[in-house]
Amino acid sequence: MLGVSMRRREFIYFIGSAAAAWPSAANAQQLALPKIGFLNNTSLDPSMDLLRAFHQGLKENGYVEGENVTIDYRWADNRLDQLPNLAADLVRRAVTVLVTTGGTTAALAAKAATATIPICFVVGEDPVRVGLVASLARPGGNLTGINFLVGELGAKRLDLLRELVPSASRVAVLVNPAGPNAEPTIRDVEAAGRAMGLQTQLVRASTSSEINATFATFVRERPDALLVGADPFFTSRRAQLVQLAAHHSVIAIYSGRQFPEIGGLISYGASLTNAIRQIGVCAGRILKGAKPADLPVEQSTKFELVINAETARMLGLNVSAAFLARADDVID
């Protein structure tokens, strides 16, 4: 609880320290500054590093919060049904640009809220297929952003699991049926499993209690490994997933480094921090006058393989030196 309070104080200081030092004349001019609406489906406390990355992207275009731009933050605290109301609230506040960093659900909520305010999104699936833009090269309309490439990497994660556990014959695949990435993950992993001669066992969870029930079945069925699909809900429940995997000695691979950072075994995926920095750059370009219709949707450019070596030892895995050398980060 103390750590949470410290992080909150850090954030409050982070966004308020500049304002505290302004002279009264500068405060009077604050209303004239451009305003960014920032919409996220999770919460502040686990997002501090991402916020720093976003501010870094803005700074690359010459924008610093409290100096020449203001930011209104809205956090859904994993209540996805609140996203439309939060997006509508930001639109009512006449933000200059609306930034969504909570995946497809947040981006669609923003699109439904306004057809005129520019929107920069970060999504993990094809933005053309879900109806956000007309094409990647020429988005059209008032939206553009970053395609984070999460659902399409299931085959690579399955291959990494097979390399870690060569004797594996059956891999459980956890997806959120209510999430946007379930279908591409299932399609990608099942096809890759057939090609590798692996049996894939599909399991679904969209609530905390369903995650608990999933691991309870592992006690009876004992899959050789677990692939956790990329989904914002799973990221928000990463502590629960990592703790259950440790408790039941399940070898698991995840979509992002947030998992091995708190004890998960291994992750492979696009760098979320870099994608959020890119969306800060996008917002900065729009503040300078660029039109979303003319800004191509960018693909993630940085991918990370992260291994928690201590967790590997606890699971009795002998990870080769060659495998460790390929990792972008080894947590020990």
Side-chain angles (χ1 to χ4, degrees), residues 84 87-92 94-100 106-120 132 141-143:
D89 181 50
L90 289 170
V91 169
R92 285 193 297 269
V95 296
T96 313
V97 58
L98 181 52
V99 171
T100 72
L108 288 172
K111 182 181 181 181
T114 177
T116 56
I117 295 174
I119 298 170
C120 291
L132 289 171
N142 63 317
L143 291 91

Side-chain angles (χ1 to χ4, degrees), residues 102-150:
T104 303
T105 306
L108 288 172
K111 182 181 181 181
T114 177
T116 56
I117 295 174
I119 298 170
C120 291
F121 57 74
V122 178
V123 297
E125 57 182 327
D126 183 355
V128 177
R129 184 175 66 83
V130 299
L132 289 171
V133 297
S135 74
L136 298 181
R138 300 285 294 181
N142 63 317
L143 291 91
T144 189
I146 308 298
N147 185 198
F148 188 47
L149 297 175
V150 293

